[in-house]
């Protein structure tokens, strides 16, 4: 499991800047409220989620689609709740 230092966390923060305004808003709230509390395992899953295309990511957040990756579920709940 990787250890996420401050430089890695800055890169992750940069990756949260997305092309869809709705996703930017949701991720902005999540980053403000929850990001600093994520452990390394959650950060690794978050990086995987950020690799999704914007439309797919937004559909998962809005529960218009279901993920086939069970690792995503707890983090998607945190993102929705932020």
């Amino acid at each position: 499991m990787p250890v996420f230092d401050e430089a890695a966390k800055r890169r992750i923060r940069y990756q949260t800047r997305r092309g869809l305004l709705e996703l930017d808003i949701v991720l902005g709230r999540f980053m403000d409220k929850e990001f600093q509390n994520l452990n390394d395992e959650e950060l690794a899953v978050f990086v995987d989620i950020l690799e999704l295309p914007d439309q797919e990511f937004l559909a998962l957040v809005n529960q218009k689609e279901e993920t086939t990756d069970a690792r995503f579920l707890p983090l998607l709940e945190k993102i929705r709740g932020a």
Side-chain angles (χ1 to χ4, degrees), residues 19-32:
L20 293 175
L21 178 61
E22 299 94 333
L23 203 48
D24 274 344
I25 292 168
V26 169
L27 284 174
R29 287 194 308 248
F30 171 75
M31 296 303 287
D32 289 344

Side-chain angles (χ1 to χ4, degrees), residues 2-18 31 35 43 46-47 50:
V3 175
F4 291 88
D5 61 11
E6 288 308 309
K9 289 179 181 179
R10 280 193 300 276
R11 283 191 297 276
I12 294 168
R13 280 188 182 280
Y14 183 77
Q15 289 180 299
T16 63
R17 298 178 187 174
R18 308 302 283 219
M31 296 303 287
F35 182 73
L43 285 168
F46 189 49
V47 168
L50 289 173

Side-chain angles (χ1 to χ4, degrees), residues 38-79:
L38 299 180
N39 62 37
D40 280 350
E41 184 178 332
E42 291 170 316
L43 285 168
V45 172
F46 189 49
V47 168
D48 289 344
I49 291 173
L50 289 173
E51 291 177 3
L52 297 171
D54 286 354
Q55 295 290 348
E56 185 178 344
F57 190 176
L58 185 61
L60 292 175
V61 169
N62 290 335
Q63 296 181 296
K64 297 200 185 301
E65 290 183 16
E66 291 184 15
T67 183
T68 57
D69 192 332
R71 299 173 311 128
F72 289 3
L73 294 173
L75 211 47
L76 287 169
E77 286 300 316
K78 286 186 179 190
I79 292 169

